Amino acid sequence: MHIRDNLDLSPNAYRISLNCVPLGEAEIYPDRDLAINPGKVYGELQGTPTTDPAFGLEAVWIDPGQRDHAQTLGYTVVDASTVVATHLSELLQRHAAELLGHEEVQQLLDNLAQSAPKLVEDLVPKLLPLTTITRVLQNLLEEGVSIRDIRTIAETLAEQAPMSQDVVTLTGAVRVALNRAIVQQLVGSIEEIPVIVLEPGLERLLQQALASGGGDSAGIEPGLLEQIQVALGDAARQQELSGQEPILLVAAGVRPWMARFVRQGISSMHVLSYNEILDNRQIKVINTIGRNPTQN
């Protein structure tokens, strides 16, 4: 992707597109600063009310002379160029999977081949086609997992390929191999990880329905799905208000479907499986989602 071909700038506005489809746009004031309300401020500012385009927070365009006063009140203050750069960075992360194609994956493998030629030679196309590897990497990016450690990813795929060519299965194996980095990114070095879990009966019901439906949720009652999503949304907001990342911990067989399910309406929630938790970490259940909302 060439950024200059997908970023339209005018004196007071900009639009970011991908393949001619707008991803985001906003009005800006180049001669002003944007004072963003991070959730708790101690006063109001004179200026033009707006919404921070990157994260959807309440904000106000203010004169630069108000910067110090705004910071004293608890606002986060940035200039117009930082607003555009932050919004662009957020959109690139959110749509990273769409930006990764066969050509980009081949470049990653070519770079890896300089230090591990035998690994790449044995992997593609002897064990896996480039299309499968691309889809695995796209799956990781869709869930916010870095693919920077391409060597570990390639080694895991080479090890698992003789047993399965299924993209979902391969993605799960790679996630387990990258579990240290995934957990570190979410919670840092804390030993006790606060998590949300499913009530055992609900988890068994989902596992059975997904197994009989070939991984599809068609056999699950729509009303139950709605209840689960509402409960998970409430739990996620509680975690965010406490300053913690919302993490849902589920069985490995449920994790791929649940990860797709929460992306539809709870983009802030991360879904891990039990086998992705390192032995040196403990879990602390802070919320349990059951079939009956009153159980939560």
Side-chain angles (χ1 to χ4, degrees), residues 18-282:
L18 174 63
N19 298 327
C20 299
V21 178
L23 299 181
E25 57 186 357
E27 184 178 12
I28 56 174
Y29 294 84
D31 58 343
R32 299 189 196 179
D33 289 337
L34 185 66
I36 304 169
N37 182 346
K40 186 176 183 180
V41 295
Y42 301 95
E44 297 183 357
L45 294 169
Q46 294 295 321
T48 304
T50 186
T51 300
D52 166 47
F55 304 105
L57 299 174
E58 293 182 359
V60 182
W61 286 104
I62 61 173
D63 292 329
Q66 296 187 73
R67 172 183 281 265
D68 291 343
H69 176 58
Q71 292 174 332
T72 302
L73 295 177
Y75 289 85
T76 300
V77 185
V78 295
D79 58 29
S81 61
T82 301
V83 172
V84 178
T86 303
H87 192 195
L88 176 59
S89 176
E90 180 67 16
L91 288 173
L92 289 177
Q93 291 183 40
R94 194 181 308 164
H95 297 275
E98 301 171 57
L99 301 174
L100 185 77
H102 288 77
E103 183 177 343
E104 289 76 20
V105 173
Q106 186 61 61
Q107 291 175 359
L108 290 173
L109 293 173
D110 290 343
N111 291 336
L112 178 61
Q114 297 178 17
S115 58
K118 182 63 174 173
L119 172 60
V120 176
E121 179 184 345
D122 290 343
L123 179 60
V124 187
K126 294 181 181 179
L127 294 174
L128 289 172
L130 184 63
T131 300
T132 299
I133 297 174
T134 300
R135 189 58 196 137
V136 169
L137 295 178
Q138 289 173 338
N139 282 351
L140 295 171
L141 290 174
E142 283 177 353
E143 296 184 10
V145 177
S146 171
I147 60 172
R148 185 177 294 108
D149 188 0
I150 190 64
R151 179 163 187 151
T152 295
I153 295 172
E155 289 174 345
T156 305
L157 291 176
E159 179 182 337
Q160 296 294 321
M163 295 175 281
S164 177
Q165 302 278 304
D166 178 67
V167 170
V168 174
T169 301
L170 292 172
T171 302
V174 171
R175 285 183 58 95
V176 173
L178 297 175
N179 60 357
R180 187 178 303 276
I182 292 173
V183 173
Q184 179 71 25
Q185 178 184 345
L186 292 180
V187 299
S189 58
I190 64 172
E191 294 183 2
E192 191 175 60
I193 306 172
V195 299
I196 302 161
V197 299
L198 300 180
E199 186 271 327
L202 174 59
E203 192 163 63
R204 285 194 298 271
L205 184 151
L206 292 177
Q207 285 181 303
Q208 293 169 0
L210 293 172
S212 62
D216 187 83
S217 61
I220 306 174
E221 298 176 8
L224 176 58
L225 292 178
E226 184 177 353
Q227 287 180 13
I228 295 172
Q229 187 155 55
V230 170
L232 287 174
D234 291 341
R237 281 188 289 275
Q238 291 175 20
Q239 282 295 89
E240 290 176 313
L241 288 174
S242 67
Q244 299 172 330
E245 290 285 350
I247 298 174
L248 175 64
L249 189 63
V250 297
V254 176
R255 201 213 68 79
W257 174 83
M258 186 59 75
R260 295 193 301 272
F261 179 69
V262 301
R263 280 203 302 273
Q264 298 173 11
I266 320 171
S267 58
S268 63
M269 178 169 281
H270 307 275
V271 185
L272 302 182
S273 65
Y274 287 96
N275 58 356
E276 292 172 3
I277 302 297
L278 298 166
D279 292 338
N280 64 345
R281 303 285 186 117
Q282 303 296 317

